[in-house]
Amino acid sequence: MSTGSGAASAPAPDHRDTQAALDTPARNSMFSSLRIRNYRLFFLGQVVSNIGTWMQRIAQDWLVLSLTGSSAAVGITTALQFLPMLLFGLYGGVLVDRLRKRPTLIVTQIAMALTSLALAVLTLTGRVEVWHIYVAAFALGLATVVDNPARQSFVSELVGPGQLQNAVSLNSANFQSARLVGPAVAGLLITGVGTGWAFLLNGLSFVAPLTGLMLMRARELHPVERAPRGKGQLREGVRYVTGRPELLWPIVLVGFIGTFACNFPVYLSAFADDVFDGGAGVYSMFNTLMAVGSVSGALLAARRGTARLRLLIVAAIAFGALEILAAASPQLWMFALIMVPLGLFSMTVNVTTNTSLQMATDPVMRGRAMALYMMVFLGGAPVGAPIVGWITDTYGARVGFAAGGAVAVAAASVIGLILARLGGLRLSVGWDRGHPRVRFVPRERQEALAPVA
């Protein structure tokens, strides 16, 4: 394990790590990292590209559903897109730790643009078949294996440690803000001129981030130590993460959530088509409303400046509970309304986990740590999407959605108790001014409050 410049941010495991590593404050204004020119170029390029990405996501899901009429087929498409992350995610992290981030991102962005353009040609010429979409989804996933950890870890080189949490939060707000525009535009394109145009515009949108990457000033980056070539680097990364509970358990939590609770292409398309008898416009509306909540969650994280363990656990439980509530909603308006807080708590879980991992990881290990995080979070889809797709087809959309929410609540509750125990905390149940009060307190304090026999 490296003991370079990042060692101070990655102390040896201690019973206080679980809480202390997540409680470091960052006193920034909501948009402070945008004052940095290189990050501003990166941010603006991602605005355009993310809109195209959301357009393609909606068009891809709806095209598969139109061709097959099966939620399971949508789940298979999602699984194929994230299967490379599950199979090769850690190897992608090893590569990212060895390579320079900016040239790496230029290559991956070009690869993803070509994939989208190829799918656009097939769709616009009327030759597209389901297996074409499967191949395109898998190819996009292969590029993501390197692109995702490279983008995640490149943020620290753009802004430095002082602005890291703010930049991570704004990145999430950027991606989710595009969700407000992309699904709406995709819905208009699908109903007006067809899904092929959404694929074409997404392919062209990669011009924006490529231009931003090429215009950056290399001298203004915050270089970090790159890992040298060597044997055992993958195992070293796994040992590093598994030996630190403040890294391991949040990753385990988002693994359960990503695998079973975040299969929104399956859930929302089924609710739009089967439960509420809507169309592409209703499906786009669900995604847009979730984006409203997600943007709010990301901006609140940027302003909050802290990444606390208790917030992660509470947000995960609330997220799962809202899925269960949405599954039981009898009316379209009620289901749609729940999408807003659902997006907020989903983004709170995402940003809190992402930020805490980056801040607690040695820079020379950051690519591997983020690759493991993304492998677990996104790579769980190949396992979960077909399962929830089958449950949805067999037992109905309501049962599938409720089952995903129940998994999130159970996982967050159990892992919250594990982390509290590792952090030297105990559950305290009592009364405050006639009202029940449940909280975690240090073991020493709990013992001091215990009545004397």
Side-chain angles (χ1 to χ4, degrees):
M1 183 176 69
S2 171
T3 55
S5 59
S9 64
D14 182 83
H15 72 280
R16 296 164 295 181
D17 282 349
T18 306
Q19 187 69 35
L22 301 178
D23 288 343
T24 305
R27 300 182 182 279
N28 297 315
S29 66
M30 185 176 289
F31 302 103
S32 59
S33 55
L34 288 175
R35 301 190 189 108
I36 301 170
R37 180 182 181 275
N38 282 344
Y39 179 72
R40 194 161 58 246
L41 288 169
F42 179 82
F43 184 90
L44 293 174
Q46 292 299 308
V47 168
V48 178
S49 182
N50 286 337
I51 291 173
T53 296
W54 278 110
M55 290 170 58
Q56 172 143 336
R57 283 191 177 188
I58 300 301
Q60 175 181 279
D61 297 339
W62 200 256
L63 181 58
V64 171
L65 193 63
S66 299
L67 291 173
T68 66
S70 170
S71 294
V74 178
I76 291 171
T77 307
T78 303
L80 287 171
Q81 184 164 332
F82 297 118
L83 181 61
M85 182 66 71
L86 179 63
L87 297 177
F88 312 116
L90 286 176
Y91 294 98
V94 171
L95 285 175
V96 167
D97 280 336
R98 292 177 181 173
L99 301 173
R100 289 188 298 153
K101 307 299 186 297
R102 186 163 61 141
T104 300
L105 286 170
I106 290 174
V107 172
T108 58
Q109 296 286 296
I110 291 173
M112 289 191 287
L114 293 176
T115 300
S116 299
L117 292 173
L119 190 56
V121 170
L122 288 169
T123 307
L124 290 172
T125 57
R127 299 178 180 176
V128 69
E129 298 179 20
V130 174
W131 72 267
H132 293 143
I133 305 172
Y134 289 166
V135 171
F138 187 78
L140 186 64
L142 285 175
T144 304
V145 165
V146 176
D147 182 80
N148 219 313
R151 277 191 298 107
Q152 299 284 346
S153 54
F154 187 50
V155 173
S156 64
E157 296 188 27
L158 290 171
V159 301
Q163 297 283 354
L164 181 58
Q165 171 150 342
N166 182 263
V168 169
S169 301
L170 290 182
N171 274 358
S172 298
N174 185 333
F175 185 72
Q176 298 301 329
S177 295
R179 197 174 180 179
L180 295 171
V181 180
V185 175
L188 292 174
L189 290 173
I190 292 169
T191 56
V193 294
T195 55
W197 290 97
F199 300 141
L200 177 62
L201 291 178
N202 179 50
L204 296 176
S205 72
F206 286 96
V207 172
L210 286 169
T211 302
L213 288 166
M214 293 175 182
L215 290 176
M216 289 178 184
R217 296 169 182 164
R219 66 180 182 276
E220 295 179 7
L221 295 174
H222 298 257
V224 299
E225 179 185 356
R226 282 188 284 158
R229 291 181 178 271
K231 295 182 179 180
Q233 290 181 322
L234 190 151
R235 291 192 300 273
E236 181 187 14
V238 173
R239 284 196 302 267
Y240 178 81
V241 172
T242 56
R244 298 170 58 85
E246 77 277 12
L247 301 179
L248 174 63
W249 289 108
I251 289 177
V252 172
L253 174 58
V254 298
F256 277 103
I257 292 175
T259 300
F260 298 105
C262 286
N263 290 286
F264 294 115
V266 177
Y267 296 138
L268 299 188
S269 62
F271 267 87
D273 192 44
D274 298 332
V275 177
F276 298 119
D277 197 23
V282 173
Y283 180 47
S284 297
M285 179 188 70
F286 290 158
N287 281 275
T288 300
L289 290 170
M290 277 198 69
V292 171
S294 298
V295 171
S296 301
L299 292 177
L300 287 172
R303 184 173 184 177
R304 186 165 47 244
T306 57
R308 294 181 181 273
L309 169 63
R310 70 192 70 174
L311 178 63
L312 172 61
I313 299 301
V314 169
I317 292 174
F319 171 73
L322 284 168
E323 286 199 343
I324 297 172
L325 181 62
S329 299
Q331 301 294 330
L332 172 62
W333 68 266
M334 187 181 299
F335 183 89
L337 189 63
I338 295 173
M339 292 299 101
V340 178
L342 188 67
L344 187 150
F345 285 109
S346 174
M347 184 51 52
T348 302
V349 171
N350 191 325
V351 172
T352 304
T353 306
N354 190 320
T355 305
S356 63
L357 291 178
Q358 292 210 49
M359 294 179 68
T361 303
D362 189 326
V364 77
M365 302 292 294
R366 191 168 286 145
R368 278 164 283 183
M370 297 310 296
L372 181 60
Y373 162 60
M374 299 309 300
M375 183 190 77
V376 170
F377 183 55
L378 300 179
V383 178
I387 294 174
V388 301
W390 175 81
I391 294 173
T392 299
D393 281 341
T394 305
Y395 299 102
R398 295 189 186 278
V399 174
F401 208 13
V407 170
V409 170
S413 300
V414 171
I415 292 173
L417 291 172
I418 292 172
L419 287 171
R421 184 173 182 83
L422 290 172
L425 302 176
R426 292 183 64 180
L427 185 67
S428 172
V429 180
W431 291 86
D432 182 17
R433 298 180 181 178
H435 299 284
R437 185 173 186 179
V438 180
R439 57 178 175 166
F440 286 103
V441 298
R443 282 198 181 99
E444 295 80 4
R445 183 178 175 185
Q446 177 76 10
E447 291 168 359
L449 294 174
V452 178

